[in-house]
Amino acid sequence: MILHALKEYYDRKAADPESGIAPPGWENKEIRFVITLNKQGELILLEDTEEIIERKKRAKRFRIPQSVKRSSGIAANLLWDNPEYVFGVALPKRQEKSTDPDQAVKQKERTQAQHKAFLQRIDDLHLGTDEGIGAVLAFLKNEQTVPILVSRFPDIWKEVLESGGNITFRLQGDDALVCNRPVVQRSIALSLDSAAKDIRCLITGEEDSLAETHAAIKGVWGAQSTGANIVSYNAAAFCSFNKKQGANAPIGRAAEFAYTTALNALLDKDSLQRIQVGEASTVFWSDKQTDFVDQFAVLFAEPAKDDPDRHTRAVRTLLEAPQSGVLPASDQSDVTFFVLGLSPNASRLAVRFWHRAPLAEMKGKIRQHFQDLQIVHGPKDRLVLSLFRLLTTTATQGKSENIPPNLEGDMMRTILEGLPYPDSILQAAIRRIKAEREIPPIRAALIKACINRRARFGKHKPQEELTVSLDPTNPSIGYRLGRLFATLEKIQEEANPGITATIRERYYAAASSSPVTVFGRLMTLKNHHLAKLDSPGRRINLEKVIGEIMAGVRDFPAHLPLDEQGRFAIGYYHQRQDFFTKKEKQD
């Protein structure tokens, strides 16, 4: 299912000449160094393509022949590779690791073998008559090649050795690289067409040649820098019926290239169709063109520094779409949206979550997520509801490294499937309130959403959902006690102007979990505070609020379960916001 969807995505992008996705046998890759030669194979220029883009050093990207898969063996790429393959020189970082003389000899022999394999890969094309290929071969077979590079471009050559960056060639006067010359393109196409079609592909159902190994997937956070596999059989324990490698699940070379190229393009560092959800590198796409692909990352990722309100605008547009009637036509069509989360697992990749749904359904689930998070807040509070902010508000000290493993992936899955959030989210949020004795708007929004989704999917009788702002009719004991606690704190603040520590600092944890132990004392303390108020009218108004709240409270319970503790927090938050709003109206 996943591979088939990726293959279809590749086919759609390949049909669009402006997409820039690589055709079969090719890939788009950063190449750090380009050597320019004349037709005689003489060195003209050694160019370093690295430049600073958005405060990061980036090499220029080129269309080059697809890289070979190699681990410990020797396998050369066609007309591009690292300095060990291109020139047969050992990199300083490898020499520093080896202090054993025998090891140094082995390293030298290996680099010579790598260089020989690089030349052999070019010779196998039998294209020496092409002036570009001939120039490269003449340059590399010249024994003075490296000394010439060292003498003419000492600074850049030092970078070549220290970085180990990839190198390729260009013929003087040409804009395209040598590896892009028409004869090379025809040779690669011919090798693909001439492969024997010996299996029926599991993805396409068509006859094709077997892809024994699959290209590495790069860009997954935490995985090996050389890439990891989503399909792999590299040990006997994974094989069946004496089949080897890819024969255990026969996938054709065309389909293998399509799905790996599509996934690598989605995971690329420049891709706008990926976000990092905890340990899961998440990519998303649709089977037809839709603007929602551009909006998805904005809804869940952190706001951009150059446009911090972009997230808020995207959420508002999504929420207001049904009322404003601006739903795009794609919502009424058969567009399907896909979301895939991958995380590293040794040399392989683990699928953390996979979700596909009609676009309208997907939008509805995400819209419900943000509707559940809506809550009243002050005019100066910026309520950024990105997934990262929601989870850090539950973490110790608000640090991302303290977010429990796998929690972000589980959260994303529940959002896309419209299910209750993980229980650990509500538990963590309530723990942070008791520890910090503070309920910021984003934490209140998360608790409200957790409780409402739990109530909506409850196994027992449905419970009343929490509203966006104060609800005086809510019968929940936890909600009413939260309102009562906020009112008692407000009375204390007005009786003692400028007080730095209120009852919240000392009694919140006990009041929200075991009310009977503290509320009797607080109600007695309330009478003392009311007596200190100068305004009789204000005193009467506050007593009316307490009376309205207590009308729904028979007694103070010995213990509040987790859900009621969450309702306590929202009742407290709502009542505090209501006091603030009334004060604003009076002003």
Side-chain angles (χ1 to χ4, degrees), residues 19 295 451:
S19 69
Q295 299 171 7
I451 291 174

Side-chain angles (χ1 to χ4, degrees), residues 365-382:
K365 298 288 178 61
I366 297 173
R367 186 180 295 115
Q368 183 63 59
H369 162 69
F370 287 108
Q371 286 174 342
D372 289 337
L373 288 169
Q374 285 187 303
I375 197 165
V376 63
H377 57 85
K380 295 183 179 180
D381 293 324
R382 290 186 65 251

Side-chain angles (χ1 to χ4, degrees), residues 57-323:
K57 291 183 178 180
R58 299 284 301 277
K60 190 175 179 180
R61 298 178 71 89
F62 295 92
R63 177 73 53 82
I64 57 174
Q66 188 178 15
S67 57
V68 296
K69 187 172 184 178
R70 59 194 181 203
S71 53
S72 58
I74 294 177
N77 291 305
L78 179 59
L79 290 165
W80 69 272
D81 219 312
N82 61 49
E84 292 180 316
Y85 277 91
V86 176
F87 299 114
V89 295
L91 301 180
K93 58 184 179 182
R94 299 194 189 279
Q95 295 174 342
E96 292 172 0
K97 292 181 180 179
S98 176
T99 56
D100 183 6
D102 294 336
Q103 187 65 29
V105 173
K106 292 180 180 179
Q107 180 62 43
K108 182 178 180 180
E109 293 175 350
R110 178 178 173 81
T111 54
Q112 291 175 347
Q114 288 173 315
H115 180 58
K116 184 178 179 180
F118 185 79
L119 292 175
Q120 188 62 48
R121 182 80 190 274
I122 302 174
D123 287 334
D124 289 345
L125 295 178
H126 304 294
L127 299 175
T129 55
D130 179 80
E131 57 185 9
I133 302 293
V136 173
L137 290 174
F139 175 71
L140 294 178
K141 291 179 180 179
N142 184 353
E143 295 182 356
Q144 297 302 313
T145 291
V146 173
I148 292 173
L149 286 166
V150 174
S151 61
R152 292 187 57 184
F153 304 97
D155 295 336
I156 301 181
W157 179 253
K158 183 179 179 181
E159 285 293 324
V160 169
L161 297 181
E162 290 182 353
S163 66
N166 290 317
I167 305 167
T168 191
F169 304 90
R170 178 188 284 120
L171 194 62
Q172 187 179 22
D174 287 355
D175 293 330
L177 301 176
V178 173
C179 60
N180 294 137
R181 294 180 69 82
V183 292
V184 180
Q185 296 182 28
R186 289 194 295 269
S187 178
I188 292 176
L190 181 62
S191 66
L192 293 175
D193 294 338
S194 61
K197 294 179 170 52
D198 50 3
I199 59 104
R200 187 168 294 278
C201 178
L202 288 178
I203 296 178
T204 64
E206 300 174 356
E207 292 185 352
D208 200 351
S209 56
L210 175 67
E212 294 185 358
T213 59
H214 294 206
I217 306 300
K218 300 179 181 180
V220 175
W221 181 82
Q224 297 176 356
S225 58
T226 55
N229 288 100
I230 198 170
V231 177
S232 174
Y233 300 86
N234 62 347
F238 308 137
C239 301
S240 304
F241 302 103
N242 293 322
K243 296 182 182 294
K244 296 182 179 179
Q245 294 183 325
N248 288 272
I251 294 176
R253 291 177 62 183
E256 178 271 333
F257 174 83
Y259 94 78
T260 55
T261 301
L263 190 50
N264 277 319
L266 290 168
L267 287 165
D268 188 81
K269 63 181 69 174
D270 294 326
S271 173
L272 300 178
Q273 293 175 237
R274 68 161 293 169
I275 55 174
Q276 193 62 39
V277 181
E279 82 293 347
S281 298
T282 304
V283 295
F284 44 91
W285 69 97
S286 60
D287 62 349
K288 296 180 182 179
Q289 182 63 34
T290 171
D291 294 338
F292 190 66
V293 170
D294 300 326
Q295 299 171 7
F296 188 88
V298 180
L299 291 170
F300 289 103
E302 275 292 274
K305 293 181 179 179
D306 57 345
D307 189 3
D309 294 326
R310 187 182 179 191
H311 169 83
T312 305
R313 293 196 304 271
V315 173
R316 185 185 301 115
T317 300
L318 181 68
L319 293 175
E320 293 177 351
Q323 289 79 26

Side-chain angles (χ1 to χ4, degrees), residues 481-539:
L481 291 181
R483 290 183 58 202
L484 177 60
F485 191 81
T487 306
L488 297 178
E489 183 185 30
K490 180 64 173 174
I491 294 172
Q492 182 189 28
E493 289 174 339
E494 293 191 12
N496 302 280
I499 187 173
T500 57
T502 65
I503 58 174
R504 184 180 69 230
E505 278 70 27
R506 184 175 180 183
Y507 295 109
Y508 181 91
S512 63
S513 55
S514 51
V516 72
T517 61
V518 297
F519 268 103
R521 185 184 313 167
L522 294 178
M523 293 297 283
T524 302
L525 189 64
K526 172 260 303 181
N527 296 329
H528 171 70
H529 290 149
L530 282 173
K532 294 175 64 176
L533 296 180
D534 295 331
S535 172
R538 182 58 174 163
R539 183 164 56 247

Side-chain angles (χ1 to χ4, degrees), residues 1 4-15 266 273 284-293 330-331 333-339 354-360 362:
M1 185 71 72
H4 185 267
L6 286 167
K7 199 269 182 187
E8 289 186 334
Y9 175 73
Y10 173 82
D11 291 342
R12 181 166 71 85
K13 301 301 285 186
L266 290 168
Q273 293 175 237
F284 44 91
W285 69 97
S286 60
D287 62 349
K288 296 180 182 179
Q289 182 63 34
T290 171
D291 294 338
F292 190 66
V293 170
S330 58
D331 271 9
S333 68
D334 57 349
V335 177
T336 303
F337 201 82
F338 307 90
V339 183
W354 162 245
H355 194 71
R356 57 169 292 168
L359 180 58
M362 180 77 74

Side-chain angles (χ1 to χ4, degrees), residues 32-48:
R32 174 77 185 270
F33 304 100
V34 177
I35 296 175
T36 302
L37 307 172
N38 62 18
K39 296 180 181 179
Q40 291 73 41
E42 298 171 341
L43 176 65
I44 302 300
L45 179 66
L46 173 59
E47 176 188 2
D48 187 345

